Amino acid sequence: MKSDPALPGDGSAPEVLALARIVARLRAEAEGTEAVASTAAVLERAKGVLMAQAGVTADAAYALLLRRAEQRGRTLMEECWITLGGLRTRPEPPAEPPGGAGGGGPRAGPDPSPFDSGRYLAGPGRTAGERRPLLARLAEGLAGVHGADEVAELLVTVLGDAEDIAAVMIYTAAPAGGLELAGAAGISTALAEQWRHVPPLSGVAAMVALAGREPVWLEDPERDALRYRLIGDPPERWQSRAWVPVFAEGPATAAVGFFRTRRAPFTPDTRLLLRRAARMCAGPLRDLRRPGTADPLGEADVAAVQRILDALSGAAILLTPLRSGTGEVEDYRIDAAAPASVDVAGRRGKELVGRSVLETYPTVAGTDLWEGYLDTLTTGTDYYGPSFTYREVTAGLPRESSYAVRATRLGGRLVVSWIRLDTSDREARRLADMQRLGNLGWADWDLVTNVINWSDQVYVIFGRDPAEGPMPLEELPLHLVPEDLPRLGGAVRRLLGEGRAVDQHFRIDTADGIRHLRIVAEAGTDEAGTPVEVHGFFQDLSAQRDAELALRESERAVLVQRGMLQAERILAARLQHALLPLQEQSLELAGLCVDVAYLPSDTGVNVGGDWYSAIGLPDDSALFVLGDVAGHGLDAVGTMAQLRFTAKGMIVTGSELPDALSRLNSLLLHTSTDTHGATATMIMGRYRPWDRRLTWVRAGHLPPLLIHDGEASFLPQPVGALLGADFGSAYEQSTLDLRPDDHLLLYTDGLVEEPGEDIDIGLARLARTARRLVGEGHGASLARGLAALRPGHRDDICVMDIHVPAVEDPEDPCGDDEDPHAPAPCG
């Protein structure tokens, strides 16, 4: 460790003491500057290596170094040294002899595997063997050059033997038009003076390159002389030339001329090499003016900077140094600020203008950031600060914030921009959560450096231990389901060989079974269209695929079930039609006019179990039966047929009505094949015409509706539970004397029920409607009229109107002999 020299004793003169202090301070500053310079040189060399390898700008190379350092848990300097060390130790692949491995012509046999990563690494042939070392040497040299002449000398030194580059001339655009020679190598001093100023003439190749932002390749001197004004010696000396514009962002401000003594076209590899070499020179050629020639910014220029900052989305400020009487920088004044700029007190944007740095960020003084500002202001070298932790006390609570800071000299001021890194952890967590919840992860592959990066979720998707690192392309076929190998191989060729984006599904075999994956990726290409990087994401679709398969199986089962139900419905409908051939009919029976309507349900795929029967008995009385079997389909139709024929048989053979219901109840309890048993409601009445008396019984059925003298009322119900409910069910009978012009309605629940509505509301509605229809003179078709008022019904409807004629007419008691097509009585 070095220490400051001892100061003279108290007896020394004051001026000697002051001089000693200045010498000590300058020595400390020199040592610090030397350390910063050595660090900056390593950083610049590492950036140059990445610029050469990946063909990216200086800013992109710096961002890549930061990203890699963060991903691998290293400091920026560690990542820089590892990058430079990898350049020296990475072996080059052996060059393949012409004509294939055997050197005897085209390779025979099948096409090489699409999963051979060596096919896709950027720069086949000379790119791998020669170009990368050339660009690496150029990057190393550019870290230490000063001025355009040294840049030109370095280009000739590095590219001379490999590409026959014998001379280089570097021109910049002059403020008044034309070109100014900024640097040259390989030409005489007299020739440099002759061509130092080029007026703004048309046809100058260097000007064409600057204006068009595209290189101009001069490969035929005689022909080129007819088209362009050639700069330099006569054409016979420089047999081929190239003018390549230099730019990173914005318009091109310099053009590099490469001169060769041999006459030959520039190959695609050489053109790409010269493009990249010129791009790498953008940093050293960024400011070709001599130090101290820049004019200080005026007030109008400060206002222009403020307008630019107003359009920025990030944080940036313009600083003017505030110097002491001795010229030392004591503080900085904020003269312009972007809206996103904020200080520790919460002031934003233009609220910061006019305030000093030590007022807005009081703990910055004496830090590396402060020294970085001074170095940039003194040397003009841009300052790229590593993550910088700023500590402040807000409302009595200590807080720490991390920033990444960049400072650039603008005249005699500094433009400082920064990004707050505190939110990066939160964004990283959000990104990780999004990848986990979406079961997807990102991946990228640098085809220049052959470096593959996977996010954590990709390892989960592939069931791979992160300690093994990303899976190389050659290993992927070992995990693929064989049937998917050709399809994924084609996608790999399109992506890596042709640079086309892909969206491909494939399957892999893991320890947890087959997984269905999706890859979505695109390639970034260089100037020649060759893929140099690939980025995209993998997504695990196994859960969705399992759900799709389950859904397909369910759909298949539903279709099968639907077909079975449809067949069952057709069969049940045919059986029902055989039992109840007429859905509407009017008939005369025992002196009564009977109107019947039967409507099947408008919804569903199964037929119901509603039924009716009206027959004459041997003693000239009439039997009326109406029932409703629970359920739908074949079982309901079968139970309906069983009840219908058994009930008629028992009554015809002399059974009493209550006994008939008891036996039917036992019949259902003993013969039902349903696990829960078959149940049914029924109402049955026997009418004697000689005394107009109706004896009736019910089994859980809705009460009959009697319309008499313009009034509608429901009959009191005798005891009787639904059929099939209990062996001990008892049934009682009631009697009713019918009078002329009476209407007695028997019906099933489909006529009155509505979903979510109390049954009493439906019954009251039926009574009002029936009374109205009879009052309007529609009594002869009362059953059909009531059924017609129920469109879109959800259940079967069966309704029977038993009407006692008002005037007895032996020939036409119902008054309908005018209808020759009236249906015959049903049995």
Side-chain angles (χ1 to χ4, degrees), residues 628-699:
D628 184 0
V629 177
H632 295 80
L634 284 175
D635 291 339
V637 175
T639 302
M640 178 264 286
Q642 185 182 41
L643 294 176
R644 184 170 184 267
F645 291 118
T646 304
K648 289 196 300 182
M650 286 190 292
I651 299 302
V652 169
T653 56
S655 297
E656 296 295 330
L657 297 182
D659 291 340
L661 286 185
S662 294
R663 293 173 183 174
L664 291 174
N665 180 58
S666 299
L667 178 66
L668 286 189
L669 289 170
H670 283 291
T671 61
S672 174
T673 58
D674 194 310
T675 304
H676 303 288
T679 59
T681 65
M682 184 185 295
I683 189 167
M684 184 162 42
R686 184 170 185 173
Y687 176 74
R688 299 185 306 190
W690 51 87
D691 57 3
R692 291 180 181 162
R693 173 163 288 187
L694 178 73
T695 302
W696 65 285
V697 292
R698 61 176 285 272

Side-chain angles (χ1 to χ4, degrees), residues 301-607:
D301 297 320
V302 171
V305 171
Q306 180 63 66
R307 288 194 297 271
I308 295 173
L309 296 185
D310 287 340
L312 295 181
S313 59
I317 53 178
L318 177 66
L319 300 181
T320 299
L322 302 178
R323 302 181 182 272
S324 65
T326 60
E328 296 182 357
V329 176
E330 295 181 330
D331 201 350
Y332 296 88
R333 184 181 67 244
I334 301 175
D335 284 344
S341 306
V342 60
D343 70 352
V344 297
R347 293 179 288 248
R348 293 181 174 274
K350 293 182 180 179
E351 295 177 348
L352 302 174
V353 175
R355 302 182 184 275
S356 71
V357 167
L358 295 183
E359 176 187 358
T360 53
Y361 302 96
T363 61
V364 169
T367 64
D368 292 340
L369 178 63
W370 187 268
E371 297 300 326
Y373 286 177
L374 291 176
D375 182 68
T376 299
L377 192 64
T378 303
T379 65
T381 303
D382 290 352
Y383 172 74
Y384 298 90
S387 59
F388 170 77
T389 301
Y390 179 77
R391 295 177 177 84
E392 70 258 17
V393 178
T394 304
L397 298 176
R399 296 177 55 189
E400 289 190 358
S401 301
S402 297
Y403 298 90
V405 183
R406 176 179 180 180
T408 302
R409 188 174 68 185
L410 181 64
R413 292 178 168 90
L414 293 177
V415 176
V416 178
S417 60
W418 68 92
I419 299 175
R420 185 168 181 171
L421 303 178
D422 298 334
T423 58
S424 62
D425 292 339
R426 182 188 306 170
E427 296 300 325
R429 289 194 299 270
R430 288 178 178 175
L431 178 60
D433 290 341
M434 180 182 67
Q435 294 183 72
R436 176 178 52 82
L437 294 174
N439 211 357
L440 58 85
W442 60 263
D444 60 51
W445 184 9
D446 189 328
L447 298 176
V448 176
T449 62
N450 195 21
V451 174
I452 303 174
N453 293 306
W454 277 8
S455 69
D456 293 340
Q457 192 63 27
V458 180
Y459 290 99
V460 176
I461 291 173
F462 278 87
R464 187 177 180 87
D465 185 353
E468 300 180 27
M471 183 185 300
L473 184 62
E474 288 81 0
E475 185 182 339
L476 183 57
L478 303 178
H479 303 276
L480 283 174
V481 173
E483 292 83 353
D484 294 347
L485 195 60
R487 285 183 299 171
L488 188 60
V492 170
R493 286 192 184 95
R494 293 193 302 274
L495 176 65
L496 301 176
E498 305 171 20
R500 295 160 53 191
V502 298
D503 185 344
Q504 183 66 49
H505 292 75
F506 62 98
R507 294 168 294 172
I508 60 172
D509 192 358
T510 69
D512 298 327
I514 299 297
R515 289 185 180 176
H516 296 260
L517 305 187
R518 174 193 183 198
I519 179 174
V520 178
E522 62 182 5
T525 61
D526 59 14
E527 298 92 336
T530 302
V532 294
E533 63 178 355
V534 176
H535 53 270
F537 67 84
F538 292 97
Q539 185 176 18
D540 188 351
L541 301 176
S542 301
Q544 294 92 318
R545 181 68 60 167
D546 292 342
E548 290 175 5
L549 294 176
L551 180 59
R552 289 180 184 176
E553 289 299 324
S554 177
E555 290 176 348
R556 186 178 297 110
V558 167
L559 290 176
V560 172
Q561 183 68 17
R562 184 175 181 180
M564 295 173 61
L565 292 176
Q566 190 67 29
E568 181 178 326
R569 175 181 173 83
I570 294 173
L571 177 58
R574 289 177 179 175
L575 289 174
Q576 188 183 54
H577 181 71
L579 298 171
L580 302 173
L582 298 176
Q583 295 186 350
E584 295 183 353
Q585 63 177 339
S586 297
L587 58 133
E588 302 170 13
L589 194 61
L592 299 175
C593 299
V594 182
D595 185 40
V596 181
Y598 174 81
L599 295 180
S601 170
D602 282 350
T603 60
V605 296
N606 285 321
V607 296

Side-chain angles (χ1 to χ4, degrees), residues 260-303:
R260 299 193 306 185
T261 56
R262 66 183 176 92
R263 183 170 184 169
F266 293 93
T267 65
D269 283 349
T270 300
R271 292 188 178 195
L272 182 59
L273 174 64
L274 298 184
R275 281 176 181 263
R276 289 186 173 177
R279 177 186 293 180
M280 293 173 63
C281 297
L285 298 178
R286 183 179 299 154
D287 188 1
L288 296 177
R289 293 172 296 183
R290 295 179 180 176
T293 61
D295 297 329
L297 293 178
E299 293 301 322
D301 297 320
V302 171

Side-chain angles (χ1 to χ4, degrees), residues 716-805:
Q717 302 187 77
V719 174
L722 79 164
L723 302 176
D726 182 28
F727 281 103
S729 297
Y731 301 93
E732 297 179 358
Q733 68 180 17
S734 293
T735 59
L736 173 67
D737 292 332
L738 294 176
R739 301 174 186 178
D741 212 22
D742 281 354
H743 288 268
L744 184 67
L745 280 177
L746 308 180
Y747 53 91
T748 57
D749 55 5
L751 187 66
V752 293
E753 285 186 342
E754 287 287 351
E757 182 182 81
D758 189 82
I759 189 65
D760 291 337
I761 298 176
L763 292 173
R765 181 172 56 246
L766 172 62
R768 291 194 303 271
T769 305
R771 184 176 64 246
R772 177 177 58 81
L773 291 176
V774 171
E776 293 174 355
H778 301 297
S781 58
L782 180 59
R784 288 170 285 174
L786 289 172
L789 293 175
R790 298 283 294 165
H793 49 91
R794 298 165 56 90
D795 198 2
D796 293 355
I797 293 176
C798 185
V799 57
M800 180 188 299
D801 174 33
I802 302 172
H803 177 219
V804 181

